[in-house]
Amino acid sequence: MSNIEIIQELYRAFEAEGLDRILELCDPDCVVTQDDALPWGGRYEGLDGVATFGIALGGTVHSVVTADAMFEAGDRVIQCGRSRGTVLANGAEFDMPEVHVWTLRNGKVTAAEFYIDTHTMLDVLGQAS
């Protein structure tokens, strides 16, 4: 599989809540990062970290990512799209642009960086700063 195909498979696994498949696609030393201000944000390392990130995200929001564009740049796959969903605690809906930067080596994800409009998400979560 190409790097883009691997990331497409990862998004399919995410939609199906297939944590086992997600972990199969990740390197044991994978690092996930997202803005610390978000309830699920921070730096997560290793497969346990990937799972912890997913549990924290899924315990806060139900969301679906729609990729508008995806391209390969060296060992990275950049995905630009939208994140749509609902906050579990208050039922608020959101629809915002996002960018995901995936780094791959030898067919496995070694890093995932997730970027959204943090201030808007905090407003939707009811945690405006």
Side-chain angles (χ1 to χ4, degrees):
M1 282 195 292
S2 73
N3 284 347
I4 287 180
E5 290 170 332
I6 291 166
I7 298 307
Q8 289 170 331
E9 174 68 16
L10 197 140
Y11 283 118
R12 284 190 293 273
F14 177 73
E15 283 184 35
E17 297 181 9
L19 181 60
D20 289 341
R21 181 64 178 140
I22 292 168
L23 295 177
E24 288 173 8
L25 296 170
C26 291
D27 185 87
D29 295 322
C30 185
V31 175
V32 175
T33 55
Q34 192 161 18
D35 191 333
D36 288 336
L38 296 165
W40 58 86
R43 179 182 169 91
Y44 298 85
E45 298 181 12
L47 296 180
D48 287 344
V50 172
T52 300
F53 172 82
I55 291 166
L57 176 63
T60 308
V61 298
H62 178 267
S63 63
V64 175
V65 170
T66 303
D68 295 330
M70 194 178 303
F71 59 93
E72 198 166 346
D75 63 351
R76 291 189 170 91
V77 172
I78 292 76
Q79 182 274 139
C80 304
R82 301 199 69 80
S83 180
R84 295 176 175 90
T86 306
V87 176
L88 299 178
N90 63 18
E93 294 182 355
F94 59 89
D95 177 352
M96 64 183 61
E98 52 73 20
V99 174
H100 296 164
V101 179
W102 303 90
T103 305
L104 296 98
R105 185 178 56 242
N106 299 324
K108 299 280 186 173
V109 174
T110 60
E113 303 165 64
F114 302 124
Y115 301 98
I116 61 171
D117 181 345
T118 297
H119 296 293
T120 299
M121 182 55 84
L122 290 173
D123 284 344
V124 173
L125 290 167
Q127 300 176 3
S129 51

